[in-house]
Every structure is written in C-alpha cells, then in structure tokens.
C-alpha cells in the first residue's frame, strides 16, 4: 500500500524548533518530488516547502530562512526542520507526493501532524 | 509567487451540476490540480492536468481551463461530494516545484 505517515508534531514555545518526519512506503521514494503543506485550523492549504529528486529545495517567503526540507532516500524519509517558530506556524502539517508527470499534482498525502506554537 | 482566487462557498441541489472556479495569472501557463477535503481528513486529488482523474475518482468530476480560469465541474452532485475544494498550480517563479493554493471553496449539497 502506498502510504505517507507524518510524525514529530507537538507543542513548542515561540522561537523554538521542531523536526517533522514523513515515512514513505509502497513506492520508490527516491523517484518522487516531495512537499510539505500546512493548514491552520479552519483555514486553507498553504504550501510550505518542496524537494526534488535531485535534492533541490524550494520555499515560500513565509518560511524561507526558518524551515529546511530534506530527504533521506535510504530510509524512505522526508523531513522538515522548523526553527524560529511563531504562533502563525501553528497548523496541521501534511507531507505529500508530487505526481511524476505533473509537478503540482499531489497524488498521495499523509494524515498530518499537528504543530502548536504557544507559550 | 502568484495568487489563486476561489469563491468561498458554492451550493448545488442534489443531482444537479456545479462548477467551482479558480482564477490566477499562473493558470494562463499551467494547469490547475483540484483537491477534495472532508472534515478531519487529508486532501484527496480529484483532477490534474488537462482533465485527468486519479484511479477511484468518479467520472462525475471533470476539469477545464480557459484563459486565467480553471474550473472543476461536478455533474450530478451527490451528498458525499459536500466538502472543501482547493485548486493549486505552479507559481510564477519559473521553477518546476513551487506551487500556490487557492483559498478553497466550501461546497454544500442541498
């Protein structure tokens, strides 16, 4: 079964750090672009970061310089290192797989992990 | 980056046809993908590319595009189609991976 399972969410104080993980199974992880997408409670989806098969990384302005996406193909794992966290980063964080033929088609999603930034 | 604009809410009578739209400059160059999200669940891809449905998505879902507007059409809406729908597309950076999402449309089936 093709599956993504996130972990690592939790409660962190403003200014703190957290590392999210996403375990992939059922497909050749190294052959796919991967993404992190977040959703604040009651709000829409927000793209957070992407990493290509060659290790190229991309971020929107809202997290650039604070978040770092990485992958470890030998472990079929995706990561998101989040530093200098703010209240506005509070959200459910999803990892998602990019479709082979269409870069903005996210065909597999994890169930999400909740990150709460609060004192 | 670029922006994608969606109507916040749309309603449709059971069995009727509804169109959900997504507007943005990037859609002049790139196709939109569409996602369905039900409460407490992760999003599910329903349409991508010119008009492609992933395996398991009913054929009542279809996609189209014209100019700066992409549309998701549900022909013969069912009660189980009540959900939030999001579009996304590549942003205007010129890189192939960064994307932008629309704000979402809440579909109510009456």
């Amino acid at each position: 079964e093709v599956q993504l399972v996130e972990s690592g969410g939790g409660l962190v104080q403003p200014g703190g750090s957290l590392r999210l993980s996403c375990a992939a199974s059922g497909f050749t992880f190294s052959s796919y672009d991967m993404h992190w997408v977040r959703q604040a409670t009651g709000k829409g989806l927000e793209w957070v970061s992407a990493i290509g098969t060659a290790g190229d990384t991309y971020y929107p302005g809202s997290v650039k310089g604070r978040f770092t996406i990485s992958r470890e193909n030998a472990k079929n794992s995706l990561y998101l290192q989040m530093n200098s966290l703010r209240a506005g980063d509070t959200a459910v964080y999803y990892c998602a797989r990019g479709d082979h033929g269409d870069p903005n088609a996210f065909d597999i999603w994890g169930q999400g992990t909740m990150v709460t930034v609060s004192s | 980056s670029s922006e994608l604009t969606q109507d916040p809410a749309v309603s449709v009578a059971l069995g009727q046809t509804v169109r959900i739209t997504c507007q943005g400059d990037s859609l002049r160059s790139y196709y939109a993908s569409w996602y369905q999200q039900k409460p407490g669940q992760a999003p599910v891809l329903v349409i991508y590319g010119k008009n492609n449905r992933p395996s398991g998505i009913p054929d009542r879902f279809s996609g189209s595009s014209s100019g700066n507007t992409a549309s998701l059409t549900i022909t013969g809406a069912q009660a189980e189609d009540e959900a939030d729908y999001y579009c996304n597309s590549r942003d205007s950076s010129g890189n192939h991976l960064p994307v932008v999402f629309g704000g979402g449309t809440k579909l109510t089936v009456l």
Side-chain angles (χ1 to χ4, degrees), chain A residues 1-114:
Chain A
E1 180 190 5
V2 175
Q3 196 173 10
L4 296 171
V5 179
E6 302 94 337
S7 61
L11 174 64
V12 61
Q13 292 189 339
S17 299
L18 209 56
R19 188 196 197 204
L20 306 183
S21 299
C22 172
S25 59
F27 64 98
T28 305
F29 177 73
S30 60
S31 297
Y32 288 84
D33 303 324
M34 297 296 297
H35 298 258
W36 287 98
V37 177
R38 69 184 179 185
Q39 185 172 38
T41 301
K43 303 297 185 182
L45 301 173
E46 180 186 11
W47 174 73
V48 172
S49 61
I51 186 166
T53 56
D56 46 316
T57 59
Y58 307 88
Y59 308 91
S62 57
V63 307
K64 196 168 188 177
R66 301 189 298 123
F67 289 11
T68 302
I69 189 173
S70 62
R71 64 191 303 161
E72 192 167 356
N73 291 335
K75 293 187 176 182
N76 292 327
S77 292
L78 177 73
Y79 305 102
L80 184 67
Q81 178 66 44
M82 304 185 295
N83 298 330
S84 302
L85 283 162
R86 308 164 180 167
D89 297 318
T90 295
V92 173
Y93 284 72
Y94 297 99
C95 61
R97 186 181 83 169
D99 179 81
H100 260 156
D102 192 330
N104 61 282
F106 299 174
D107 61 350
I108 303 295
W109 295 66
Q111 85 290 349
T113 188
M114 183 71 203

Side-chain angles (χ1 to χ4, degrees), chain B residues 8-67:
Chain B
V10 170
S11 62
V12 61
L14 184 67
Q16 296 304 300
T17 296
V18 62
R19 176 175 291 181
I20 298 170
T21 61
C22 174
Q23 289 187 301
D25 287 342
S26 64
L27 299 178
R28 297 185 184 278
S29 304
Y30 306 115
Y31 289 116
S33 295
W34 290 92
Y35 304 85
Q36 177 192 70
Q37 186 181 34
K38 296 181 179 180
Q41 299 183 18
V44 173
L45 179 68
V46 294
I47 290 289
Y48 66 99
K50 189 173 183 180
N51 181 18
N52 301 305
R53 281 177 290 106
S55 175
I57 301 301
D59 61 5
R60 63 179 179 271
F61 290 88
S62 63
S64 61
S65 185
S66 178

